Amino acid sequence: MSRVNTIQIITDIVDQSYNEMYAIMRGVADRITDEQVDFAPLVPVTGMSITHGAFLTRLMAKSYLSPVVMFTNVAPHQTHKTDIIAKITGKDMIVMGSNNGCFDWINRDFGFDYLAEVTVKKPFVINGEIIYLPGEDPPADYDNRFDKDAIHKTFGAHVIYGPIAVGLALGVDYEKFGEDRDKDFVVPLDIMEGEIVHIDNYGNLKIYGKLEAKPGSTIKIFAKGGLLAQAEYVTGRMMSSPTGTFVIYPSTSLPHMIDVALIRGNAAMRLGLAIGDVLTYRVA
């Protein structure tokens, strides 16, 4: 895969820290090339939700029709596992980021042409200075200069993995950053049937798993030990249903998913649900 020039960041770093990461990545890109590098609008992940990060990564893989490097950074685990770089089978699309479950969904649905563990550990940027560029070797005196400087070791997303994403987008071979691994290296995603993986700005629930029902059926929805709501199962235009009623339908996002909506209302707010809650159903 040659240079693609488009970088999509998917992360729960959504405050000022994202602006810092963007600034570092922008600066690295400008040092590598005079060509325009396209940083796509941020895809924000709910804080510390690996499941949400996995869903959004998979969703964006469906949506991109042009070459892209997708950098997914969601890393709430106490024990740091690994980071990976992979190319999606049959697509001009590289994914990279925390190997903690974020890439299991996309791996199961597409597979990878290659998969590598990131082995680069030395930050490219320290205290606002570019020390070396992605694809280059660190300077010979790197350790002597920076070994005692702890400030650059606390946030690898900014100074290690963000610059690697830039390098990949600008055509640096992935082998400069890591070593090949087999598909079993991908950490499985801890997800349950009925788990809410996304809530859109209307309060509609995106739920992992399928529901077998006939259009017009009444579905009882349970969570947190009790009955939450009754919904009509629909397969047509859900907004044609009466205002204030709940509907459930095959998801508009991905296969093996369903959605729950409150017509012209906010289902998540009304039902008190959040990403990570698990629903069960019964056809009335």
Side-chain angles (χ1 to χ4, degrees), residues 1-2 4 64 66-69 87-94:
M1 186 174 182
S2 59
V4 298
Y64 265 103
S66 56
V68 66
V69 170
K87 180 182 179 297
I88 296 177
T89 302
K91 289 179 174 283
D92 287 330
M93 184 177 299
I94 294 173

Side-chain angles (χ1 to χ4, degrees), residues 8-278:
Q8 175 67 72
I9 302 173
I10 303 167
T11 185
D12 57 351
I13 302 171
V14 295
D15 63 353
Q16 171 60 24
S17 187
Y18 169 75
N19 295 321
E20 295 175 62
M21 182 165 65
Y22 167 80
I24 290 171
M25 293 173 68
R26 174 86 270 167
V28 171
D30 290 346
R31 276 282 298 273
I32 294 175
T33 181
D34 293 331
E35 296 180 22
Q36 182 65 36
V37 177
D38 176 26
F39 285 86
L42 169 67
V43 175
V45 178
T46 296
M48 297 186 289
S49 176
I50 292 171
T51 300
H52 196 212
F55 165 74
L56 292 173
T57 301
R58 172 64 180 86
L59 186 68
M60 294 309 296
K62 179 195 81 170
S63 302
Y64 265 103
L65 305 177
S66 56
V68 66
V69 170
M70 295 199 302
F71 171 33
T72 300
N73 185 81
V74 184
H77 40 285
Q78 182 175 359
T79 302
H80 181 73
K81 293 186 172 126
T82 53
D83 296 272
I84 63 174
I85 299 168
K87 180 182 179 297
I88 296 177
T89 302
K91 289 179 174 283
D92 287 330
M93 184 177 299
I94 294 173
V95 296
M96 64 159 292
S98 304
N99 184 28
N100 52 19
C102 279
F103 298 104
D104 182 42
W105 196 334
I106 203 169
N107 183 36
R108 285 186 276 112
D109 283 2
F110 292 114
F112 296 135
D113 285 333
Y114 63 73
L115 170 67
E117 177 184 359
V118 176
T119 54
V120 172
K121 303 300 180 184
K122 297 184 187 299
F124 298 93
V125 177
I126 299 176
N127 295 330
E129 179 186 358
I130 297 175
I131 308 304
Y132 70 114
L133 290 173
E136 297 178 348
D137 293 327
D141 62 348
Y142 188 100
D143 290 334
N144 289 334
R145 290 171 62 190
F146 305 113
D147 186 55
K148 295 180 181 180
D149 190 350
I151 190 170
H152 67 276
K153 299 178 181 179
T154 59
F155 221 145
H158 286 187
V159 295
I160 300 176
Y161 305 109
I164 288 174
V166 171
L168 292 168
L170 293 175
V172 179
D173 193 288
Y174 78 94
E175 292 179 326
K176 288 285 188 178
F177 306 117
E179 297 176 357
D180 287 313
R181 299 287 185 263
D182 61 34
K183 64 179 181 179
D184 294 333
F185 188 72
V186 177
V187 171
L189 176 64
D190 183 12
I191 191 169
M192 297 176 63
E193 290 281 314
E195 184 171 346
I196 299 171
V197 300
H198 181 70
I199 298 172
D200 69 18
N201 62 303
Y202 297 104
N204 300 329
L205 311 174
K206 305 284 184 175
I207 304 158
Y208 184 79
K210 286 188 175 181
L211 171 65
E212 299 295 336
K214 295 180 180 179
S217 299
T218 298
I219 310 297
K220 292 185 176 182
I221 303 173
F222 299 85
K224 302 179 179 179
L227 176 65
L228 285 187
Q230 292 192 156
E232 181 185 1
Y233 187 79
V234 299
T235 55
R237 181 178 183 268
M238 63 94 164
M239 290 299 284
S240 297
S241 298
T243 298
T245 61
F246 286 96
V247 293
I248 189 167
Y249 49 94
S251 181
T252 58
S253 296
L254 295 172
H256 196 77
M257 288 185 61
I258 58 174
D259 294 352
V260 172
L262 176 62
I263 301 302
R264 282 168 285 277
N266 189 306
M269 188 178 297
R270 175 75 67 84
L271 300 177
L273 294 171
I275 292 172
D277 288 336
V278 179

